Amino acid sequence: MKANNTASLLKDGKELNTFTRPASDMQAERDRTSFPVREMTHFFNNGKENTEFLEKLFERIQRDPAFNNKDFYDLDYKPLRQRTFEQIGRMWSYLDELGADSPLARRFLSPFGMINPSAQTRVSVHYGLFVSALRGQGTDKQYEFWKSQGCLSLNRFYGCFGMTELGHGSNVAELETTATFDRATDEFIIHTPNTAATKWWIGGAAHSSNHTVCFARLIVDGKDYGVRNFVVPLRDPESHNLLPGIAVGDIGKKMGRDGIDNGWIQFSNVRIPRTYMLMRYSQVTPEGKVIEPPLAQLTYGALINGRVAMAYDSWVWARRFLTIALRYAAVRRQFSSTEGREESKLLDYVLHQRRLIPLLAQAIGIEAAATELYRLFDEVTHHQASLDTSDRKAVSDMVDKTKELFSLSAGLKAFSTWATVDTIDECRQACGGLGYLSATGFGQGFDDWVVNCTWEGDNNVLCLSAGRSLIQSGCKVLDGKHVTGAADYLGRIKTLRGKSLASGDLRDPKVLVGAWESVAAQAVMDAAEAYKKLRARGVSDKAAFEELSIDRFNIARLHTRCFQIKALFRKIANANPSIQKVLTNVGLLFALWSIEKNGSPFLQYGFLTSDDMNKVIDLVTFYCGEVRDQVIGITDSFNISDFFLNSPIGNYDGNAYENLMDSVTERNVPGTPCPYQDAMNAFFKRTPYEQPRLDEI
Amino acid sequence: MKANNTASLLKDGKELNTFTRPASDMQAERDRTSFPVREMTHFFNNGKENTEFLEKLFERIQRDPAFNNKDFYDLDYKPLRQRTFEQIGRMWSYLDELGADSPLARRFLSPFGMINPSAQTRVSVHYGLFVSALRGQGTDKQYEFWKSQGCLSLNRFYGCFGMTELGHGSNVAELETTATFDRATDEFIIHTPNTAATKWWIGGAAHSSNHTVCFARLIVDGKDYGVRNFVVPLRDPESHNLLPGIAVGDIGKKMGRDGIDNGWIQFSNVRIPRTYMLMRYSQVTPEGKVIEPPLAQLTYGALINGRVAMAYDSWVWARRFLTIALRYAAVRRQFSSTEGREESKLLDYVLHQRRLIPLLAQAIGIEAAATELYRLFDEVTHHQASLDTSDRKAVSDMVDKTKELFSLSAGLKAFSTWATVDTIDECRQACGGLGYLSATGFGQGFDDWVVNCTWEGDNNVLCLSAGRSLIQSGCKVLDGKHVTGAADYLGRIKTLRGKSLASGDLRDPKVLVGAWESVAAQAVMDAAEAYKKLRARGVSDKAAFEELSIDRFNIARLHTRCFQIKALFRKIANANPSIQKVLTNVGLLFALWSIEKNGSPFLQYGFLTSDDMNKVIDLVTFYCGEVRDQVIGITDSFNISDFFLNSPIGNYDGNAYENLMDSVTERNVPGTPCPYQDAMNAFFKRTPYEQPRLDEI
């Protein structure tokens, strides 16, 4: 039963009136679009073929009853876990068709996160972490073996990723679980020595996984060789009972992604064959000889996959919530900014434009940069797969490329995921109270999203790591060496240092790219010089980097933003001419607003004067206004159907109020009796207790 | 059943070792405290008497089984509503002792929000909004009448606050519900004319309230007099059934505060006696004569209560999450910042100090400002209660004070609640993955908190309103008039304009206060001049303010931060000498970090040179280091027991890992069978479907 919809009532033969007329407002906005929406969709999807692939997939998904998500926001965490598992079963059939191990599967997974991010994660933990570890860290023979056991078909098989421990997350090198080699039996003994060494957060461990890739310290003849990867069976594939020596528990409810059965694991002297250690880069022979890997980072390679995906997902999530908030802003009227009595659309307020439109530009910049990152990732993965580990030159090239990938992905993962946290929350607040209602999707979206700032590389730790790489690149430049990759502009420090805007035009992309390169390069080189000075004073490498923590953080921020801005302008330069004008306004807004947000260094390095900065601020307002008429067209070009948006105030038709009322009354049927009426009666109709009088004693 | 605790195992006669030794680390930190903790507690509570009052209350609450909150984070929204109602019943007995209508009750409610913010809200909606409206907007006789009906005793009585509609929240003046006077029967007819006019978000409406203060347009003889307040009965106090003409529904699950039964209400020609209109400031006579109120804002006075409370609650919430994150930082070790193998405490990392300690200083500044705001509020409320409405001078003074209260509370509410959003989230991220686990309290805390940015005055709307007041004050100064209250420093613009640090000492509170006043005053006066110029060019008042939206926002931010810094230094100046040194470092950190965060205007107005700004940045790092040794002492002085913290990683004893393991295994008993084993079997043991071959046709 739905509530009667009073808006459809007639009075004096006319429909009841209200000052809001959302659906026609939306159409009027749509009519302002000045570019071919379809062309823009291809731009965002990086090609017509991708658009068509995704549309076919989306159509099938939204027809599939397994993915009905009407009650998604209302589910408690226990039923959500079951729902999630059932959806994984269904997702598997899609993956199986696409090729579970294929790059196509990635395109499938990322948008699936819009429906149920927990299902996306659980599948990613298996394929993206567990299977990637087998493929990346195992020998070809080992990978074939685990495939024969069902790791791709998911028949009697589900893997989890046993890395994090209660006491150690970021510092993987200090994990405490041990894998002690027993030469007599050709086995490793996997053991959890103390509470802090308990594997913690392991997605899939609580209920569904029967194997894990366990990160443990390799101990041979009493010597500790550091952390390696071992496949450890957890449960009997037939009975699903825990194997001897394995203790597992549920870590319980979380802030979000409650469809994931995260668990803890303790190992008590669990024996596995020596051949279960993943031996692509490091080996232990039956005699107990240990061969070390060429680069420690190669051992943790599986994580990089997730970082790259999160940089891209930042775009996928941001565009969804921006669509909802911008569409709502196009129909919501409140107060009046002009003289008439009619109230104004939120989208017409300068402050509202300023709150949302730069975030739209930022999201588009995030996409451009993440797409470049994916290209680098694919290149590295391709090389890695075909690497001849006996070819030292090839391995050394590989190590260089991997370092570049680590450094670039660290900054992009951190700042893109943070930007999307801010975007989701700003979009929520921009919808006023309705943003706080579960039905509109923001609360669940925020809670599900923010974990990206922490897992697979804590953002702050990643920033420090990206900052360290930048300082190292800066030192190379100071030493007269050549720097390649994303930090190559440091090589031009001589021309970049001391540049100022002077008579440059702030509406010229080249000028803005120059501004960002100048300021970012100076900041990086100043930090590199400071580092050199500290070292010259005899300060240790570690202490010098620690002292420069804040600089490392700040240069990572400036460099990453500079990269995103350049990536966006590069992408725009190759776009179809019919959409270049709108996109250039978006790019300018992104670059200018980013200057406003990071004002101090632009003033401190003298690139901008105080007057220039005021011009920047005015231009941000100006370009918000320029892009304003195109935002509904842009959100349409994101091509997210109402099903995937899952927010009645963001529907394509713009009919926000009635859609919301329908959604709310469908899920909370009016007339349902209060489930705690007895408790209310007991209180409201109470007779107050009074101590009986006892006067004589 | 708890999991066996492996940390208590023995091996070779010794307890199993781990690199983490949290409890002794915590004690070592505590030993560094250089000030009398008890004295600091009194400082934060604004007096020894308050400390003792609160301690007595807290002791009783945490012994009271009604407030057991062990499972609080695990409750789904439906049981949470019932739990919340039951707690309200129990809270009432405390309130009844304190005097439900007394200022003491406020001190009770605010900390109660740490246990169950939904219960705090539901009680606040009744006493703080419904009853405040009766008292503030009703005549003395009307208030006495509703008291006789049970509005204080809650016997067969619970009120809700029928203001917001689906189509109108911030713009209260354009609410669409109508109250049409029927002279024939001496009644008002309350009516919802369309869907957008549906009362929405009304806390208590879904289940518990039987009366509402309804905001509706007063219509007499076809003339619309604007919005007034009317008491409308919703449910029969005996049967609790909805009265004729009243339609109510549940608006369902929210991002947080799910213990509140928010609902929607539609009125269909509901008749109430004329005397149910609240008539302190505006009256309708039986003849239909309408007497207008002296100031429209007086009609919405009930909201101001909530705004003031939220500015103060920002402190209550921030200090709780800062306690958890700082205590965890004092025991969590990860990586090493020095040469030894031993890992370093998070609290010893420069970046970690930089992330948390300025937020601690900010929280302390928020408290000082909110306490001053409460004083102004009490003064205004006191005057209002004793106001002779026929005394025009008294009413005019009242109007001035009320305007000052509106303007100051707008900025403080907005920027304090936002600051606490950032604080909770930064604290969560600073605890790494554990911050995402429900057991540690951050997720629920964030979700429960963030609504403060939206309700009872959307923060952005409040900022624009505060900015408008500031421009008006600036114009007064330009016109040679006197400005009083928080913006009084604008009167000193001539000496403040063009000031620079020169040889001033950035470690001197006076210099920093001067810096903030100079920059804030220049920004406000520039905006006022811009406003005057626009007006002189013939731009309308409304259009001029709209064009200056970004300026209004920015000056509200600078002015509010300036006020908080001054309030903190004022409070420190009156503190016990034994704690002044530590507090002065805190105050300097707050002021300097706030400059770093708002760098551009300090550089643009030339108060600081580029070198000065680098000094500011270095000093922020320096004062983080100075305060670092005192943070555990400071969190202890907040005087929040483990019960109220409700986060095992933040307990006083510092034994984070074992407390967490105990908490998790108590709530998720190991060995509990997976509730969806059947679904897993169906998938894992499936036989793939293959289309049967049909070769010949």
Side-chain angles (χ1 to χ4, degrees):
Chain A
M1 194 193 96
K2 283 195 196 183
N4 303 312
N5 192 335
T6 53
S8 62
L9 284 182
L10 297 184
K11 198 171 186 177
D12 303 332
K14 284 193 210 160
E15 245 188 315
L16 269 175
N17 191 30
T18 156
F19 280 91
T20 64
R21 36 154 213 270
S24 60
D25 275 349
M26 182 61 83
Q27 192 49 52
E29 286 296 333
R30 201 156 269 137
D31 292 342
R32 298 184 183 196
T33 308
S34 70
F35 61 88
V37 170
R38 191 71 180 163
E39 203 54 61
M40 192 68 92
T41 301
H42 300 332
F43 174 82
F44 290 129
N45 286 329
N46 298 298
K48 187 163 174 260
E49 308 68 34
N50 291 339
T51 301
E52 286 166 0
F53 167 84
L54 287 168
E55 281 176 348
K56 224 188 284 180
L57 193 63
F58 287 177
E59 185 180 61
R60 179 167 153 190
I61 290 172
Q62 72 182 41
R63 287 170 175 176
D64 192 331
F67 302 125
N68 170 26
N69 58 356
K70 284 229 164 185
D71 59 351
F72 181 67
Y73 306 132
D74 294 331
L75 287 176
D76 188 25
Y77 79 107
K78 285 172 187 174
L80 178 58
R81 285 179 175 184
Q82 168 154 357
R83 168 81 57 90
T84 302
F85 186 84
E86 288 161 354
Q87 293 185 334
I88 289 168
R90 192 72 183 176
M91 282 167 78
W92 179 81
S93 70
Y94 290 65
L95 283 169
D96 189 43
E97 285 172 47
L98 299 173
D101 204 15
S102 77
L104 277 183
R106 180 208 302 163
R107 282 199 213 132
F108 165 69
L109 277 183
S110 183
F112 197 83
M114 285 192 282
I115 308 178
N116 181 351
S118 295
Q120 177 195 20
T121 304
R122 280 171 80 162
V123 169
S124 299
V125 167
H126 176 78
Y127 286 108
L129 294 177
F130 180 85
V131 173
S132 286
L134 299 185
R135 192 178 46 222
Q137 307 299 316
T139 64
D140 292 348
K141 267 197 184 159
Q142 288 182 313
Y143 186 42
E144 288 307 316
F145 171 75
W146 290 108
K147 280 208 281 192
S148 77
Q149 297 298 302
C151 82
L152 288 189
S153 69
L154 294 189
N155 209 309
R156 292 166 173 73
F157 204 105
Y158 211 95
C160 64
F161 197 66
M163 187 176 78
T164 303
E165 296 174 359
L166 184 49
H168 287 89
S170 294
N171 193 3
V172 176
E174 292 295 330
L175 292 170
E176 296 181 274
T177 302
T178 52
T180 308
F181 183 56
D182 180 353
R183 194 180 281 104
T185 58
D186 203 31
E187 287 174 329
F188 289 107
I189 304 163
I190 309 292
H191 189 64
T192 303
N194 58 56
T195 303
T198 304
K199 293 291 172 189
W200 195 264
W201 277 120
I202 313 305
H207 296 140
S208 44
S209 301
N210 52 12
H211 287 76
T212 191
V213 166
C214 176
F215 282 55
R217 314 196 72 76
L218 173 63
I219 315 270
V220 181
D221 296 331
K223 186 175 166 191
D224 181 340
Y225 288 86
V227 172
R228 300 291 190 283
N229 296 175
F230 304 82
V231 179
V232 184
L234 300 174
R235 289 179 169 95
D236 179 330
E238 284 309 316
S239 67
H240 210 67
N241 288 335
L242 291 175
L243 294 169
I246 306 287
V248 157
D250 182 348
I251 65 164
K253 199 166 178 294
K254 302 177 295 290
M255 185 173 179
R257 303 217 179 202
D258 265 321
I260 313 171
D261 56 325
N262 294 89
W264 53 262
I265 313 175
Q266 292 173 339
F267 304 94
S268 299
N269 298 301
V270 173
R271 288 178 167 267
I272 55 168
R274 180 181 56 84
T275 51
Y276 280 22
M277 171 176 154
L278 296 177
M279 297 208 196
R280 176 179 285 267
Y281 297 112
S282 175
Q283 297 85 31
V284 176
T285 66
E287 299 73 34
K289 201 184 148 205
V290 177
I291 296 138
E292 299 272 6
L295 173 73
Q297 280 156 315
L298 289 174
T299 317
Y300 319 136
L303 288 181
I304 203 78
N305 194 344
R307 284 185 200 158
V308 174
M310 279 181 251
Y312 188 81
D313 270 357
S314 300
W315 145 252
V316 173
W317 285 60
R319 73 179 173 184
R320 175 176 165 220
F321 292 103
L322 283 161
T323 299
I324 300 167
L326 286 164
R327 286 188 179 163
Y328 183 67
V331 304
R332 173 74 170 181
R333 291 172 178 274
Q334 199 80 178
F335 295 112
S336 164
S337 62
T338 58
E339 299 310 307
R341 167 130 195 241
E342 185 177 67
E343 292 183 285
S344 305
K345 296 174 177 179
L346 299 189
L347 195 51
D348 282 324
Y349 288 99
V350 172
L351 184 61
H352 213 79
Q353 293 176 8
R354 275 286 209 132
R355 289 169 67 188
L356 295 180
I357 302 179
L359 298 178
L360 180 75
Q362 177 177 256
I364 292 171
I366 285 172
E367 189 280 328
T371 295
E372 289 198 8
L373 178 65
Y374 251 132
R375 274 190 214 120
L376 177 64
F377 172 76
D378 286 343
E379 205 184 310
V380 171
T381 319
H382 182 75
H383 282 200
Q384 204 163 13
S386 59
L387 186 69
D388 173 2
T389 48
S390 65
D391 177 348
R392 293 188 59 179
K393 170 75 174 70
V395 170
S396 151
D397 283 356
M398 184 67 216
V399 166
D400 281 352
K401 281 249 174 218
T402 305
K403 279 184 177 172
E404 163 78 3
L405 180 61
F406 260 79
S407 153
L408 185 61
S409 67
L412 285 174
K413 184 271 193 185
F415 291 105
S416 305
T417 56
W418 270 330
T420 293
V421 172
D422 294 343
T423 298
I424 298 173
D425 201 53
E426 189 67 50
C427 288
R428 176 184 67 75
Q429 290 192 45
C431 295
L434 296 185
Y436 199 67
L437 198 65
S438 290
T440 59
F442 292 100
Q444 188 70 52
F446 186 89
D447 288 350
D448 284 342
W449 177 257
V450 293
V451 70
N452 283 294
C453 303
T454 303
W455 65 11
E456 290 175 81
D458 173 84
N459 280 4
N460 283 283
V461 175
L462 290 180
C463 288
L464 290 181
S465 154
R468 181 191 289 110
S469 296
L470 286 168
I471 288 180
Q472 286 162 342
S473 297
C475 288
K476 272 195 185 174
V477 171
L478 291 175
D479 296 343
K481 289 185 199 145
H482 191 58
V483 170
T484 56
D488 61 356
Y489 64 102
L490 297 180
R492 290 183 274 112
I493 182 65
K494 279 185 190 149
T495 54
L496 291 172
R497 165 101 47 205
K499 258 177 82 170
S500 71
L501 177 66
S503 60
D505 185 348
L506 286 166
R507 292 162 303 178
D508 179 348
K510 279 204 201 77
V511 169
L512 293 175
V513 165
W516 272 97
E517 285 195 336
S518 168
V519 167
Q522 290 180 77
V524 173
M525 297 309 296
D526 285 355
E529 281 170 24
Y531 171 81
K532 287 223 161 202
K533 266 185 212 153
L534 287 167
R535 298 288 283 140
R537 277 204 276 128
V539 177
S540 74
D541 180 61
K542 206 180 227 177
F545 276 122
E546 175 59 17
E547 189 164 334
L548 294 170
S549 298
I550 304 307
D551 306 78
R552 279 152 75 195
F553 189 90
N554 287 335
I555 61 179
R557 190 181 67 234
L558 293 171
H559 168 76
T560 303
R561 182 47 50 107
C562 180
F563 180 81
Q564 290 169 326
I565 290 167
K566 291 193 286 185
L568 178 55
F569 282 126
R570 278 192 285 264
K571 186 167 176 176
I572 294 171
N574 292 315
N576 187 297
S578 62
I579 55 173
Q580 275 185 332
K581 187 170 173 250
V582 172
L583 284 170
T584 301
N585 286 340
V586 167
L588 292 169
L589 177 57
F590 179 42
L592 288 161
W593 173 75
S594 299
I595 292 175
E596 187 187 348
K597 283 288 211 188
N598 295 278
S600 290
F602 285 85
L603 293 162
Q604 285 189 273
Y605 284 116
F607 192 93
L608 299 179
T609 64
S610 175
D611 282 349
D612 294 336
M613 186 58 83
N614 288 335
K615 267 181 224 147
V616 167
I617 296 169
D618 288 345
L619 280 172
V620 172
T621 305
F622 172 78
Y623 282 108
C624 284
E626 288 294 292
V627 177
R628 181 239 168 278
D629 278 357
Q630 306 307 317
V631 294
I632 294 303
I634 292 173
T635 58
D636 286 351
S637 77
F638 292 164
N639 217 16
I640 317 175
S641 70
D642 290 348
F643 170 84
F644 281 93
L645 281 178
N646 204 8
S647 178
I649 63 170
N651 281 4
Y652 184 84
D653 69 7
N655 210 0
Y657 299 114
E658 294 187 30
N659 291 336
L660 181 70
M661 193 77 190
D662 286 349
S663 162
V664 165
T665 52
E666 194 179 323
R667 302 198 281 159
N668 306 279
V669 179
T672 308
C674 171
Y676 53 93
Q677 188 64 50
D678 289 348
M680 289 204 295
N681 290 341
F683 176 64
F684 285 141
K685 301 187 179 179
R686 72 196 177 281
T687 314
Y689 169 76
E690 279 183 45
Q691 290 183 337
R693 284 177 69 105
L694 173 60
D695 290 334
E696 289 181 45
I697 45 172
Chain B
M1 194 194 97
K2 285 193 196 182
N4 302 312
N5 192 335
T6 54
S8 62
L9 284 183
L10 297 184
K11 196 171 190 176
D12 302 331
K14 283 191 210 162
E15 245 189 314
L16 270 174
N17 191 29
T18 157
F19 279 89
T20 64
R21 35 155 214 269
S24 59
D25 276 348
M26 183 61 83
Q27 193 48 53
E29 286 296 332
R30 200 156 270 138
D31 292 344
R32 298 184 183 196
T33 308
S34 70
F35 61 89
V37 169
R38 191 70 180 164
E39 203 54 61
M40 192 68 93
T41 301
H42 300 332
F43 174 82
F44 291 129
N45 286 329
N46 298 297
K48 187 164 174 259
E49 307 67 34
N50 291 339
T51 301
E52 286 166 0
F53 167 85
L54 286 168
E55 281 176 348
K56 224 188 284 179
L57 193 63
F58 288 177
E59 185 181 59
R60 177 166 153 191
I61 289 173
Q62 72 182 42
R63 288 169 175 176
D64 192 331
F67 301 126
N68 170 25
N69 59 357
K70 284 229 164 185
D71 58 352
F72 181 68
Y73 306 132
D74 294 331
L75 286 176
D76 189 25
Y77 79 107
K78 285 172 188 173
L80 178 58
R81 286 179 175 184
Q82 168 154 357
R83 167 79 58 89
T84 302
F85 186 84
E86 288 161 354
Q87 292 184 335
I88 289 168
R90 192 72 182 174
M91 281 165 78
W92 180 82
S93 70
Y94 289 65
L95 284 168
D96 190 42
E97 285 172 48
L98 299 172
D101 205 16
S102 77
L104 276 184
R106 179 209 302 162
R107 283 199 213 131
F108 165 69
L109 277 183
S110 183
F112 197 83
M114 285 192 282
I115 308 178
N116 181 349
S118 295
Q120 177 194 20
T121 304
R122 281 172 80 162
V123 170
S124 298
V125 166
H126 176 79
Y127 286 108
L129 295 176
F130 181 86
V131 174
S132 286
L134 299 185
R135 192 178 45 222
Q137 307 298 317
T139 64
D140 292 348
K141 268 197 187 162
Q142 287 182 312
Y143 186 42
E144 289 307 317
F145 171 75
W146 290 110
K147 280 206 280 192
S148 77
Q149 295 299 302
C151 82
L152 287 189
S153 68
L154 295 188
N155 209 309
R156 291 164 173 74
F157 204 105
Y158 212 96
C160 62
F161 196 64
M163 186 177 80
T164 303
E165 295 174 359
L166 184 49
H168 288 88
S170 294
N171 193 3
V172 175
E174 292 294 330
L175 292 170
E176 295 180 273
T177 302
T178 51
T180 308
F181 183 56
D182 182 353
R183 193 179 284 106
T185 58
D186 202 30
E187 288 174 327
F188 289 108
I189 305 163
I190 309 292
H191 189 65
T192 302
N194 57 56
T195 302
T198 304
K199 293 291 172 189
W200 196 262
W201 276 119
I202 312 306
H207 296 141
S208 44
S209 301
N210 53 12
H211 286 77
T212 190
V213 166
C214 177
F215 282 55
R217 313 195 73 75
L218 172 64
I219 315 271
V220 182
D221 296 331
K223 185 175 168 193
D224 181 339
Y225 288 86
V227 173
R228 298 293 190 282
N229 296 176
F230 304 82
V231 178
V232 184
L234 300 175
R235 289 178 168 95
D236 179 329
E238 283 310 315
S239 68
H240 211 68
N241 288 335
L242 292 175
L243 293 169
I246 306 286
V248 156
D250 182 347
I251 65 164
K253 200 167 179 294
K254 301 178 295 290
M255 185 172 178
R257 302 219 179 201
D258 265 321
I260 313 171
D261 57 325
N262 294 90
W264 54 262
I265 313 174
Q266 292 173 339
F267 303 95
S268 298
N269 298 302
V270 174
R271 288 178 168 266
I272 54 167
R274 180 181 56 85
T275 52
Y276 280 21
M277 171 175 154
L278 295 178
M279 297 208 196
R280 177 180 284 268
Y281 297 112
S282 174
Q283 297 84 32
V284 176
T285 66
E287 298 74 34
K289 201 185 147 203
V290 178
I291 297 138
E292 300 271 7
L295 173 72
Q297 280 156 312
L298 288 174
T299 319
Y300 320 135
L303 289 180
I304 204 78
N305 194 344
R307 284 184 201 159
V308 174
M310 279 182 249
Y312 188 80
D313 270 357
S314 301
W315 145 252
V316 173
W317 285 60
R319 73 180 173 183
R320 174 176 165 220
F321 292 104
L322 283 162
T323 300
I324 301 167
L326 286 165
R327 287 187 179 164
Y328 182 66
V331 303
R332 173 75 170 181
R333 292 173 177 272
Q334 199 78 178
F335 294 111
S336 165
S337 62
T338 57
E339 299 311 306
R341 167 131 195 240
E342 185 177 67
E343 292 182 285
S344 306
K345 295 175 179 178
L346 299 189
L347 195 50
D348 281 324
Y349 287 99
V350 173
L351 182 61
H352 212 79
Q353 293 176 8
R354 274 287 209 132
R355 289 169 68 187
L356 294 180
I357 301 178
L359 298 178
L360 180 75
Q362 177 178 255
I364 292 170
I366 285 172
E367 189 281 328
T371 295
E372 289 199 7
L373 178 64
Y374 250 133
R375 274 189 213 120
L376 176 63
F377 172 76
D378 287 341
E379 205 184 310
V380 172
T381 318
H382 182 76
H383 282 201
Q384 203 163 15
S386 59
L387 186 70
D388 173 3
T389 48
S390 66
D391 176 348
R392 292 189 60 179
K393 170 76 176 67
V395 170
S396 152
D397 283 355
M398 183 69 217
V399 165
D400 281 351
K401 282 250 175 217
T402 305
K403 280 185 178 172
E404 163 78 3
L405 180 61
F406 259 82
S407 154
L408 185 61
S409 67
L412 285 175
K413 184 270 194 185
F415 291 105
S416 305
T417 57
W418 271 330
T420 294
V421 172
D422 294 342
T423 299
I424 299 173
D425 201 52
E426 189 67 51
C427 288
R428 176 184 67 74
Q429 291 193 45
C431 295
L434 295 185
Y436 199 67
L437 198 65
S438 290
T440 60
F442 292 100
Q444 188 69 53
F446 186 89
D447 288 349
D448 284 342
W449 177 257
V450 294
V451 69
N452 283 294
C453 303
T454 302
W455 65 10
E456 290 176 81
D458 174 85
N459 280 3
N460 283 283
V461 175
L462 290 179
C463 287
L464 290 179
S465 154
R468 182 191 288 111
S469 296
L470 286 168
I471 287 179
Q472 286 161 343
S473 297
C475 288
K476 272 194 183 175
V477 170
L478 291 174
D479 296 344
K481 288 185 201 146
H482 190 59
V483 170
T484 56
D488 61 356
Y489 64 102
L490 298 180
R492 289 184 274 114
I493 183 64
K494 281 186 189 150
T495 53
L496 291 173
R497 166 110 34 215
K499 257 176 81 170
S500 70
L501 177 66
S503 60
D505 186 349
L506 286 166
R507 292 161 304 177
D508 178 349
K510 279 203 200 78
V511 169
L512 293 175
V513 166
W516 272 96
E517 285 195 336
S518 168
V519 167
Q522 290 180 76
V524 172
M525 296 310 296
D526 285 356
E529 281 171 23
Y531 171 82
K532 286 223 159 203
K533 266 186 210 152
L534 287 167
R535 295 289 283 142
R537 277 205 275 126
V539 177
S540 74
D541 180 61
K542 206 181 228 177
F545 275 123
E546 175 59 17
E547 188 164 335
L548 294 170
S549 297
I550 303 307
D551 306 78
R552 280 154 74 197
F553 189 91
N554 287 335
I555 62 179
R557 191 180 66 234
L558 293 172
H559 168 76
T560 303
R561 181 48 50 109
C562 180
F563 180 81
Q564 290 170 326
I565 290 167
K566 291 193 287 185
L568 178 56
F569 282 125
R570 277 192 287 263
K571 187 167 175 177
I572 294 171
N574 292 314
N576 187 296
S578 63
I579 55 173
Q580 275 186 329
K581 186 170 174 250
V582 172
L583 284 169
T584 300
N585 286 340
V586 167
L588 292 169
L589 178 57
F590 180 41
L592 288 161
W593 174 74
S594 299
I595 292 176
E596 187 187 349
K597 282 288 210 188
N598 295 278
S600 290
F602 284 85
L603 292 162
Q604 286 189 272
Y605 283 117
F607 191 94
L608 299 179
T609 64
S610 175
D611 282 347
D612 294 336
M613 187 57 84
N614 287 335
K615 266 181 226 147
V616 167
I617 296 169
D618 288 345
L619 281 172
V620 172
T621 305
F622 172 78
Y623 281 109
C624 284
E626 288 294 290
V627 178
R628 180 238 170 279
D629 278 358
Q630 306 308 318
V631 294
I632 293 304
I634 292 174
T635 58
D636 286 351
S637 77
F638 291 165
N639 217 14
I640 316 174
S641 70
D642 290 348
F643 170 84
F644 282 93
L645 282 177
N646 205 6
S647 178
I649 63 170
N651 281 3
Y652 184 84
D653 68 8
N655 210 0
Y657 300 115
E658 294 187 30
N659 291 336
L660 180 70
M661 194 76 189
D662 286 350
S663 163
V664 165
T665 53
E666 193 178 326
R667 301 198 282 159
N668 307 278
V669 179
T672 308
C674 171
Y676 53 94
Q677 189 64 50
D678 289 350
M680 289 205 293
N681 290 341
F683 176 64
F684 285 141
K685 302 187 178 178
R686 73 197 176 277
T687 315
Y689 170 76
E690 280 184 44
Q691 290 183 335
R693 283 179 70 106
L694 172 61
D695 290 334
E696 290 181 44
I697 44 172

